[in-house]
Amino acid sequence: MQRKRVILFVSVMMVILSILIVRLAQIQLFETKHFTNRDINLISQSVAQRSKEIAIDAERGNLLDRDGKQLTVAYKTVLILFPFLKDIEWDVSSVAEILKVDNSQLRQKVQAIKDPIVYGEREPFILSNEQMEEINQLEIPGVFAVRKSYPIYERPAEQLLGIANRDFLLTKRYPNKHLSNITRLGATGMEKSFDELLSGEGETKLIYHVDGKGRPLFGSNVKYVHPANPFYPLNIRTTLDFEWQQLMEMLVDKNEVTKGGMVLIDIEDNSVVAMVSRPKVNPVNPFAHGEEGTNNFMVQNQVLGSIFKTVIAAAAIDYGLDAKSRMFDCNRSINGEIDENYQYGMLNFKDSFAKSCNYTFATVGKELMSIEPLVVDSYANKLGLSIKVGWQGDFYHLKGFQQLADEEQGQVFSDPRNRKDTNLIALTSIGQLDVRSTPLAVANMMATIARGGEKQMVRVASQLEYKNGTKVKSFQSKKIVGKNIKPYTAISLQKLLLEVVNHDLGTGRQLQNLPYQVAGKSGTGETGKKVNGQQLENKWFAGYFPYDNPRYALVTVRLDAKSTDPSPLSLFADIVKEIHRLDHST
């Protein structure tokens, strides 16, 4: 009996010992860098227990405006203090004198800390270059004046530039990079699109080793640790103009656009100069349920309404359905019945476009579809409304790279069977039913027409740069593959768009007396949403200017607006006036 007990005890101990050995091997040999489903790096954690450190550069690349201004990361010259200062004699009076603070204030701060800190209360104490040099010349262990990186949280074009946040799944996304657990990854916008290019090779930090009680293990020696490659991380030069972007955001808010925004394209190089999306990002919890601030509505599909009549007009011109002598009864609705709300009388095609007569375009749309079932799809493609228009292609070492990874592709008919129903064709022809496109694509359509019909990809970034500012590679302007509208068609559309503004009946006549002559198209898209029984609409104006020498394509849009809300024409007018002022300022 005694022998059996001994055998049982030994067996149990062997099992326990085996489990411990397996666990030890798991920790020490097999899963040292990816322990548990939380992907814990045990090596880095053990080093962290034996060291005190402070990161001075998170080594994530910056997004810059077109003149090189930093948009996502700012560098501030600050004072770093290490906790071991409380245990050594150091020249506190000289440091205090340089900072112009009391000695006691500085001593008290050091006595209270357990980890390295940036000197200052809620905000860091910013040093001048002279102060930085004077402090570092003192060569006091544990006192360092350095340039430290800080993410810019209140940034312009916040939805376009996007958000980068901490992610513990770093090693899964980038298994070959040595990144710390505070490294930020792109979650939205350009931060997400360019994440692989913006991610650096590791942090720059100040570090020293401690014993079990937190005292310096090797004296007061602090090491400066930084990635081996001084050219990284890479920066992205965007096409945004910081000053213009700030001004556009101010104008959008002044016009009380609560949902919607604007897109401004430089027609010459087809680049976004400014883009605003509202509502703003919630700074406390941007990804909270129900928050729309992280959505960039300028690259998401919206109901177009009469903006889409530009597509029908292009096809009508090519198919000869726009004869000057042809008259349309614009007292009627799209189903041919008398329209009790709108009585425009008999209008020809040009006046119908200026006044945005639904009956004309429903009629012409049905005629076009009877001639060629795919004609509307074809012209939507030619004008870039049913495709992604953001820059894409092979770049650097990336295949099929997209500058706007969040951009949505437009559509005309969601169900092919709808092409056979004349009532549904009529709705489609005035931009309702399934028709969707992005404000960016609408702005690009205006740039395409102003340019004479050639489609180009829209750039939001112009080049990739090394950390020191040297260019690595440019994002060259690229045409969009596929058929374009004919130059004659583009010229005819230009004249129609001008009539929208210049005609006494034009829906854009409010823009007649601006310092730049504008051509464009209005639109009201029924969203199908209601608030308190009231139909919500998307209210648009899209155009380009100056008419005789086109330089800018602009879209302004109010999304989910009530019928009583202002049109976007006032915002469009304000932007044109300010751009004229900026163009002529000395």
Side-chain angles (χ1 to χ4, degrees):
M1 192 68 177
Q2 184 71 23
R3 186 169 178 272
K4 288 182 179 180
R5 289 179 179 177
V6 171
I7 293 174
L8 179 61
F9 175 77
V10 171
S11 300
V12 170
M13 293 302 297
M14 289 295 292
V15 170
I16 294 174
L17 184 61
S18 299
I19 293 173
L20 289 174
I21 292 173
V22 170
R23 187 62 167 170
L24 186 62
Q26 180 186 16
I27 294 172
Q28 295 285 344
L29 300 176
F30 304 119
E31 297 185 12
T32 56
K33 295 184 179 181
H34 308 283
F35 186 64
T36 78
N37 58 1
R38 294 179 58 196
D39 227 22
I40 299 171
N41 189 320
L42 294 173
I43 296 177
S44 63
Q45 290 293 317
S46 65
V47 172
Q49 288 181 347
R50 302 192 309 271
S51 64
K52 297 287 185 180
E53 64 182 50
I54 185 168
I56 58 177
D57 195 336
E59 290 299 319
R60 181 174 179 82
N62 216 330
L63 294 172
L64 314 171
D65 88 336
R66 62 184 182 181
D67 296 321
K69 182 177 179 61
Q70 298 167 351
L71 298 178
T72 54
V73 178
Y75 286 87
K76 301 176 182 180
T77 305
V78 298
L79 180 67
I80 306 292
L81 299 174
F82 279 76
F84 62 72
L85 287 168
K86 68 182 72 173
D87 299 321
I88 65 173
E89 290 294 327
W90 59 289
D91 192 356
V92 63
S93 59
S94 294
V95 176
E97 183 178 351
I98 294 171
L99 297 179
K100 296 181 173 55
V101 299
D102 293 335
N103 290 9
S104 58
Q105 180 181 342
L106 204 55
R107 286 188 185 277
Q108 289 173 3
K109 175 58 73 174
V110 170
Q111 289 298 321
I113 62 177
K114 297 180 179 180
D115 297 295
I117 63 160
V118 174
Y119 179 69
E121 295 300 327
R122 296 181 179 178
E123 293 291 329
F125 190 104
I126 307 302
L127 309 178
S128 66
N129 290 335
E130 292 76 15
Q131 287 175 313
M132 179 177 70
E133 291 180 7
E134 290 177 12
I135 289 173
N136 288 336
Q137 284 174 359
L138 296 174
E139 297 184 352
I140 300 174
V143 178
F144 301 92
V146 299
R147 278 173 53 82
K148 188 177 186 304
S149 67
Y150 289 88
I152 299 174
Y153 293 107
E154 293 185 8
R155 57 181 67 173
E158 51 189 352
Q159 291 90 353
L160 173 61
L161 297 181
I163 296 171
N165 54 12
R166 296 181 182 180
D167 192 332
F168 70 89
L169 296 177
L170 287 169
T171 53
K172 290 187 177 179
R173 192 187 289 194
Y174 301 118
N176 298 321
K177 287 189 176 184
H178 301 290
L179 303 174
S180 78
N181 58 1
I182 68 167
T183 300
R184 295 176 300 119
L185 296 183
T188 65
M190 294 179 70
E191 291 276 18
K192 174 182 174 182
S193 301
F194 292 85
D195 189 58
E196 188 169 350
L197 298 172
L198 292 170
S199 296
E201 300 298 321
E203 291 179 305
T204 299
K205 54 191 175 183
L206 297 172
I207 184 173
Y208 75 103
H209 296 284
V210 295
D211 61 17
K213 295 184 178 180
R215 296 172 300 196
L217 191 60
F218 304 114
S220 56
N221 292 326
V222 176
K223 293 183 179 180
Y224 175 78
V225 179
H226 63 93
N229 195 330
F231 296 104
Y232 288 83
L234 300 171
N235 293 330
I236 306 295
R237 188 174 292 249
T238 74
T239 60
L240 297 176
D241 184 289
F242 179 78
E243 178 186 356
W244 286 39
Q245 178 68 34
Q246 284 193 313
L247 179 59
M248 298 305 133
E249 295 192 14
M250 183 271 291
L251 293 175
V252 168
D253 293 335
K254 173 188 170 186
N255 280 269
E256 299 180 342
V257 177
T258 56
K259 185 174 182 180
M262 57 77 64
V263 179
L264 178 67
I265 290 178
D266 184 323
I267 293 175
E268 183 178 0
D269 61 7
N270 223 49
S271 297
V272 172
V273 180
M275 179 184 288
V276 180
S277 180
R278 291 292 182 265
K280 294 182 178 181
V281 174
N282 180 340
V284 177
N285 189 356
F287 297 103
H289 178 69
E291 291 291 344
E292 292 185 316
T294 55
N295 293 331
N296 186 353
F297 289 114
M298 300 302 101
V299 297
Q300 293 182 357
N301 284 331
Q302 314 296 340
V303 181
L304 294 182
S306 294
I307 292 287
F308 194 71
K309 291 173 183 173
T310 310
V311 172
I312 303 301
I317 291 165
D318 286 355
Y319 281 80
L321 302 179
D322 65 330
K324 294 180 181 179
S325 59
R326 186 181 183 190
M327 304 300 290
F328 299 87
D329 187 354
C330 289
N331 290 331
R332 299 183 181 277
S333 62
I334 62 173
N335 60 11
E337 297 178 358
I338 296 298
D339 192 327
E340 296 180 358
N341 296 317
Y342 302 103
Q343 294 287 296
Y344 298 143
M346 301 300 292
L347 300 178
N348 63 16
F349 188 83
K350 180 186 73 172
D351 292 345
S352 293
F353 190 84
K355 192 59 181 173
S356 201
C357 171
N358 285 339
Y359 176 76
T360 300
F361 286 87
T363 301
V364 171
K366 287 185 282 189
E367 292 174 356
L368 288 166
M369 293 289 284
S370 68
I371 299 171
E372 171 53 58
L374 296 177
V375 65
V376 177
D377 304 76
S378 173
Y379 276 81
N381 187 285
K382 287 180 180 180
L383 287 168
L385 286 187
S386 58
I387 59 177
K388 292 183 178 182
V389 299
W391 195 100
Q392 57 184 297
D394 295 343
F395 180 79
Y396 204 40
H397 59 272
L398 305 175
K399 299 293 184 181
F401 177 76
Q402 298 181 59
Q403 288 192 355
L404 293 167
D406 296 330
E407 180 189 7
E408 295 180 351
Q409 181 168 321
Q411 68 174 24
V412 179
F413 291 99
S414 63
D415 188 336
R417 293 173 295 183
N418 292 350
R419 296 190 181 93
K420 299 177 182 180
D421 187 315
T422 55
N423 292 324
L424 299 183
I425 292 171
L427 284 169
T428 299
S429 300
I430 62 170
Q432 298 294 156
L433 194 63
D434 302 326
V435 176
R436 302 286 187 277
S437 194
T438 68
L440 178 69
V442 172
N444 192 53
M445 176 178 71
M446 291 297 163
T448 297
I449 294 169
R451 194 183 294 116
E454 181 186 85
K455 297 194 302 292
Q456 291 185 13
M457 295 181 186
V458 182
R459 297 186 305 165
V460 292
S462 59
Q463 68 184 38
L464 181 67
E465 300 178 355
Y466 286 122
K467 188 176 182 179
N468 62 5
T470 305
K471 182 177 73 174
V472 179
K473 190 173 179 62
S474 296
F475 292 95
Q476 300 294 337
S477 297
K478 293 177 67 174
K479 297 178 182 179
I480 294 177
V481 176
K483 294 181 179 179
N484 296 314
I485 59 172
K486 300 173 184 176
Y488 171 79
T489 309
I491 293 171
S492 299
L493 288 175
Q494 291 170 8
K495 294 177 180 178
L496 289 175
L497 294 170
L498 183 63
E499 284 298 304
V500 171
V501 176
N502 284 358
H503 199 291
D504 290 340
L505 297 175
T507 56
R509 57 187 179 277
Q510 182 180 328
L511 307 176
Q512 284 180 5
N513 298 316
L514 295 177
Y516 281 139
Q517 189 174 33
V518 171
K521 184 72 186 78
S522 62
T524 302
E526 296 179 358
T527 65
K529 304 174 187 176
K530 289 185 178 181
V531 172
N532 297 326
Q534 188 173 1
Q535 175 77 37
L536 298 183
E537 305 168 335
N538 292 341
K539 298 185 176 185
W540 299 77
F541 195 85
Y544 67 90
F545 56 93
Y547 177 75
D548 292 329
N549 181 27
R551 295 173 58 193
Y552 307 105
L554 173 64
V555 165
T556 56
V557 58
R558 290 180 182 270
L559 300 174
D560 294 345
K562 298 176 182 178
S563 59
T564 54
D565 289 338
S567 81
L569 284 167
S570 57
L571 173 58
F572 196 102
D574 286 347
I575 292 174
V576 173
K577 292 173 187 175
E578 286 299 324
I579 289 177
H580 181 271
R581 179 186 65 80
L582 290 168
D583 283 344
H584 293 83
S585 61
T586 55

